[in-house]
Amino acid sequence: MNTLRFFLAILILFLGLSLKTNAQWSDSTWVKNTDSTSIILYYPTSAFSSKDTLELDTTLFYFQRYDARTSDYDLAAGTMTIGGPIKNMYFSSLSPQFNIGEQNLGTYFYESENMPIYSHVRVPYSELFYTIAAQEENYLKGILANQASPRLYYGMNFNVESTIGLFANQRVSNAHFRGITSFETFNKRYGNQFEYIFNKFKLGENGGLANDYYYEDTTKLDRQILAVNLNEASNSVKSHQFVLKQHLNIGKAGTDSTKHKFIGKLYMNTLYTKRARMYTDNKWDSAYYEFMYLDSVQSADSSAFTNFKTDFGISNYYPDRHQYLTFDMGATYNYKMYFDGQKESFFNYLTPHADVIFDFYKLILEGGFRYQIKIENQQSMNIGANDLNLYGTLKFPLLKYFIWDVGLKMDFQSPEARAYSTYSNHFMWNNDFDKQKHVELNSHFDFKGYQLEAAVHSLTDFVYYDQRVLPQQYGGSFQVITAKFNKRFAFKRLGSTMMVMYQKGSNDSIIRLPELVARGSFYFGFPMFNGALKIHPGFDLTYINSYQGDAYNPATMQFHLQNDKFLDNQFYVDLYVNFNIKRARIFIKYQNVASFLGNYNYFLVAHYPQQDAVLKFGISWKFFN
């Protein structure tokens, strides 16, 4: 109830800050036509995060793919409808070194480096997005970005996901909030940015179906009466994050009437993060969990992670002008605490880092490194000493519509802390693993929108979770090949998008991935009432070839290997109609229509059926003052 009141207050504030909703951008240089606008944003994912133009209002492209599983991933395996654990099925990197399971919550989980920052917001921009569907599924999202003055910016984001699924003990009640403000002095010498981020997840965990037969071979049984493995288990995750970024520009100071001569900047970025997870089960099933260590009646297992980080450095990166040499270098101090359920371990690291770009127009070389030095103490585990991350990329912007690059990444990284030490009712271990080695050779090709990427990953001493949900280290080496093609086609009023993904591992007893995935969207667009209404009816198709999928364990909040179920070939069909009326976008979607054929083989995670055929309705409304 307190969470609901909080977000109602946020909604009232949001609407209050967006009162002037009918103004047009007729006086803005960003207007591309009478019904299209754009703003500039960037994601601070790297030292050289470039700014992108975001098209607003008129785009109905992929609007019906609102959920993180379909909007942020080419293919993600999930255990629930929205808001639950998900796994990216396109292999790319190793797991983060410190986590308590939140990495499997995907982009539902707000983190500073993954959140957009809007730049040069000349007029306030805000958006409300709401989706409702059967099974009491609700998804509410809000964005506000406002440049109060040339030197003061503020904004916020919030998400609320809630659902009660078809199956017993399948529920989601999540809330996320991010507030941000930034300030720059009149002479543009000093600037700062402050963020606060909050996440709360409450997940009913049913452990999947006890017997898949009754789901796969009948259409008559009520889903709520099908037996599940866990009837009273749940996961609760909470996190708080505070971020303060400061920079001091080097060079001749400027004002609103004089141009600032930028030479470089000194920066200091400080972050404090606190996360905690609680797994509870008031009536656990001995047939599901193999061991019981602490309590024979109920489980109440907790884990936590705290991180304090300060990054100090110097950079001459200036995204709006060409530079032959661009650099960013500094050092990061980290103080971390990991609670494994029984004891706290403390870690101190000093990490020098550097990134550099040599830009000769037709040849661009980018590279960098991170080297983690562990400051020893008696209360830490043997994790993280001498971890090294290297990358390098050669880019060839040969022609106006032709871009090609090749890259190399090398990660020598300790496994995640919870693979070393875990203490809970169903799982206990203390391990001493070698460092994982990940070498990736990649290439990207873009010619007039034909996008092709490919990579070869070589993995040595890889840590994975086996069929018993126990962390294991594979002592040898194996390879994974990945490739992906994307293209958007348009012919008059007809349009389509295509994505084909291929991946193959040399050792499928360690990493199991679908070898072939294809997704396409086909639509027909036409205006009505002199263009005041735009309609895009269409359909989405998804094909996933058969493979030995992963299972999911709620107590560890971990995807892991399993051998008792082979996932069949799957074919998904979604019908939709997207509408655009001035600043409003609306979609009506009938999801997974193919399930009407009576073949209930829709599993992306073993024993967790995907959503049946369901009607969904969503609306997005953008405001400009």
Side-chain angles (χ1 to χ4, degrees):
M1 183 62 69
N2 291 333
T3 301
L4 178 60
R5 291 174 179 172
F6 172 75
F7 278 98
L8 285 175
I10 291 294
L11 181 60
I12 293 171
L13 174 62
F14 184 92
L15 294 174
L17 292 169
S18 308
L19 290 176
K20 300 177 183 179
T21 59
N22 296 320
Q24 301 293 321
W25 276 26
S26 58
D27 58 346
S28 171
T29 59
W30 294 346
V31 174
K32 293 195 171 185
N33 54 52
T34 57
D35 59 0
S36 177
T37 56
S38 62
I39 61 175
I40 300 174
L41 61 79
Y42 67 96
Y43 289 84
T45 54
S46 71
F48 306 125
S49 298
S50 59
K51 298 178 179 178
D52 295 319
T53 300
L54 175 68
E55 300 299 329
L56 302 175
D57 282 339
T58 59
T59 175
L60 292 174
F61 174 65
Y62 277 171
F63 175 56
Q64 74 282 0
R65 298 185 183 181
Y66 68 95
D67 184 22
R69 296 169 304 168
T70 55
S71 63
D72 297 336
Y73 302 97
D74 291 303
L75 178 66
T79 64
M80 300 183 187
T81 52
I82 62 168
I86 56 177
K87 180 181 181 181
N88 186 3
M89 298 307 295
Y90 188 66
F91 181 82
S92 59
S93 62
L94 300 174
S95 297
Q97 192 175 91
F98 286 89
N99 71 84
I100 54 174
E102 77 281 352
Q103 89 280 5
N104 287 325
L105 295 171
T107 55
Y108 293 116
F109 194 92
Y110 277 13
E111 287 190 287
S112 177
E113 66 177 14
N114 298 323
M115 300 294 294
I117 297 176
Y118 296 91
S119 177
H120 300 90
V121 184
R122 299 187 182 183
V123 296
Y125 158 64
S126 54
E127 177 183 3
L128 281 174
F129 178 88
Y130 177 66
T131 296
I132 188 170
Q135 304 156 33
E136 299 187 37
E137 178 184 317
N138 293 273
Y139 182 85
L140 174 65
K141 179 175 70 173
I143 302 170
L144 170 67
N146 187 19
Q147 197 81 33
S149 74
R151 291 172 294 279
L152 178 63
Y153 163 84
Y154 66 88
M156 69 176 179
N157 304 71
F158 67 86
N159 270 41
V160 177
E161 306 107 33
S162 66
T163 188
I164 298 177
L166 282 176
F167 302 94
N169 198 30
Q170 187 181 54
R171 63 185 186 277
V172 171
S173 179
N174 303 341
H176 322 277
F177 173 79
R178 179 255 203 146
I180 179 172
T181 182
S182 63
F183 173 78
E184 191 174 45
T185 58
F186 180 76
N187 61 6
K188 301 183 181 181
R189 177 76 73 184
Y190 169 80
N192 62 43
Q193 174 184 305
F194 176 77
E195 286 182 81
Y196 168 69
I197 294 176
F198 169 76
N199 290 280
K200 189 198 78 170
F201 292 81
K202 184 67 174 180
L203 310 173
E205 300 275 19
N206 64 17
L209 296 181
N211 190 330
D212 295 343
Y213 170 81
Y214 297 105
Y215 165 79
E216 294 174 327
D217 292 351
T218 182
T219 60
K220 298 179 180 179
L221 292 178
D222 184 350
R223 297 288 191 252
Q224 281 288 326
I225 70 172
L226 297 183
V228 297
N229 287 304
L230 302 169
N231 286 286
E232 298 186 33
S234 66
N235 261 308
S236 176
V237 179
K238 286 187 179 181
S239 77
H240 301 269
Q241 187 174 72
F242 301 86
V243 182
L244 176 61
K245 298 180 179 181
Q246 303 177 82
H247 68 265
L248 181 67
N249 288 331
I250 305 170
K252 183 178 179 181
T255 66
D256 288 345
S257 59
T258 63
K259 187 175 181 180
H260 173 69
K261 294 184 177 180
F262 179 85
I263 298 177
K265 67 177 180 181
L266 297 172
Y267 63 83
M268 184 174 71
N269 301 329
T270 304
L271 175 147
Y272 175 79
T273 301
K274 186 173 183 179
R275 299 172 188 161
R277 180 170 75 92
M278 173 67 75
Y279 173 74
T280 59
D281 188 353
N282 296 323
K283 188 181 178 181
W284 68 272
D285 188 347
S286 59
Y288 183 76
Y289 287 113
E290 184 176 356
F291 299 110
M292 176 276 299
Y293 294 108
L294 303 176
D295 194 319
S296 61
V297 177
Q298 62 181 2
S299 298
D301 306 320
S302 63
S303 56
F305 166 65
T306 300
N307 182 31
F308 174 80
K309 179 174 74 173
T310 296
D311 183 23
F312 180 80
I314 183 172
S315 174
N316 74 333
Y317 177 54
Y318 197 83
D320 298 329
R321 72 184 184 195
H322 177 267
Q323 297 179 134
Y324 287 100
L325 171 62
T326 304
F327 64 85
D328 182 296
M329 60 185 65
T332 304
Y333 169 74
N334 273 94
Y335 171 82
K336 301 177 185 286
M337 185 281 294
Y338 168 65
F339 176 66
D340 68 356
Q342 181 187 35
K343 66 180 185 301
E344 295 179 340
S345 299
F346 300 91
F347 306 87
N348 290 273
Y349 300 108
L350 182 65
T351 308
H353 60 83
D355 300 271
V356 64
I357 298 177
F358 297 96
D359 187 347
F360 301 104
Y361 291 101
K362 296 301 181 182
L363 175 64
I364 302 171
L365 172 62
E366 181 176 349
F369 79 92
R370 306 285 187 276
Y371 181 69
Q372 185 168 272
I373 303 169
K374 183 180 180 183
I375 304 172
E376 296 292 344
N377 68 77
Q378 296 181 349
Q379 294 177 298
S380 69
M381 297 178 286
N382 184 28
I383 304 175
N386 305 314
D387 282 6
L388 176 64
N389 306 98
L390 296 166
Y391 76 95
T393 304
L394 272 174
K395 299 180 181 180
F396 305 94
L398 302 177
L399 300 171
K400 182 178 181 181
Y401 300 108
F402 180 25
I403 300 174
W404 174 47
D405 67 65
V406 292
L408 177 67
K409 290 177 60 180
M410 301 177 67
D411 299 308
F412 303 92
Q413 180 176 312
S414 299
E416 59 184 29
R418 63 181 184 152
Y420 283 85
S421 179
T422 289
Y423 182 90
S424 66
N425 199 30
H426 305 299
F427 299 96
M428 286 190 184
W429 57 68
N430 281 286
N431 297 311
D432 187 12
F433 292 128
D434 294 330
K435 208 177 295 295
Q436 299 179 105
K437 294 87 176 175
H438 174 215
V439 180
E440 174 189 338
L441 179 64
N442 58 65
S443 182
H444 300 78
F445 173 92
D446 190 336
F447 177 68
K448 293 186 176 180
Y450 290 89
Q451 299 176 354
L452 177 64
E453 63 178 71
V456 178
H457 306 264
S458 179
L459 297 142
T460 306
D461 296 326
F462 182 73
V463 172
Y464 64 98
Y465 287 80
D466 66 11
Q467 293 84 353
R468 299 170 63 190
V469 206
L470 300 177
Q472 305 288 347
Q473 186 161 52
Y474 180 72
S477 298
F478 64 96
Q479 290 70 45
V480 177
I481 298 174
T482 61
K484 185 164 55 178
F485 168 79
N486 282 282
K487 173 59 180 173
R488 182 178 178 183
F489 301 91
F491 177 73
K492 294 185 178 179
R493 300 191 185 281
L494 298 176
S496 69
T497 62
M498 295 294 297
M499 187 284 297
V500 180
M501 183 170 72
Y502 173 82
Q503 46 194 353
K504 181 70 174 178
S506 63
N507 189 339
D508 60 6
S509 65
I510 306 301
I511 292 182
R512 295 168 177 171
L513 302 164
E515 188 170 326
L516 179 64
V517 176
R519 296 183 69 187
S521 185
F522 305 87
Y523 54 88
F524 175 75
F526 58 92
M528 296 182 66
F529 307 111
N530 295 323
L533 170 65
K534 297 180 179 65
I535 304 177
H536 282 197
F539 57 94
D540 285 338
L541 303 177
T542 302
Y543 168 78
I544 307 167
N545 80 309
S546 60
Y547 73 108
Q548 190 82 39
D550 284 343
Y552 168 77
N553 183 269
T556 58
M557 214 168 183
Q558 177 66 49
F559 291 92
H560 63 93
L561 299 178
Q562 59 87 27
N563 290 328
D564 62 339
K565 186 174 183 63
F566 196 83
L567 307 187
D568 295 332
N569 293 312
Q570 298 179 61
F571 192 66
Y572 295 84
V573 180
D574 300 337
L575 304 179
Y576 66 86
V577 181
N578 293 340
F579 304 88
N580 175 217
I581 308 171
K582 292 186 178 295
R583 306 300 184 189
R585 293 180 298 170
I586 301 168
F587 78 79
I588 301 174
K589 178 168 71 170
Y590 206 67
Q591 182 175 292
N592 199 8
V593 178
S595 65
F596 275 126
L597 299 177
N599 184 16
Y600 289 91
N601 65 336
Y602 295 103
F603 292 90
L604 296 179
V605 179
H607 312 304
Y608 283 91
Q610 297 300 293
Q611 201 168 27
D612 289 342
V614 60
L615 183 66
K616 298 189 174 185
F617 170 83
I619 182 169
S620 167
W621 200 298
K622 290 182 171 67
F623 307 99
F624 304 98
N625 287 352

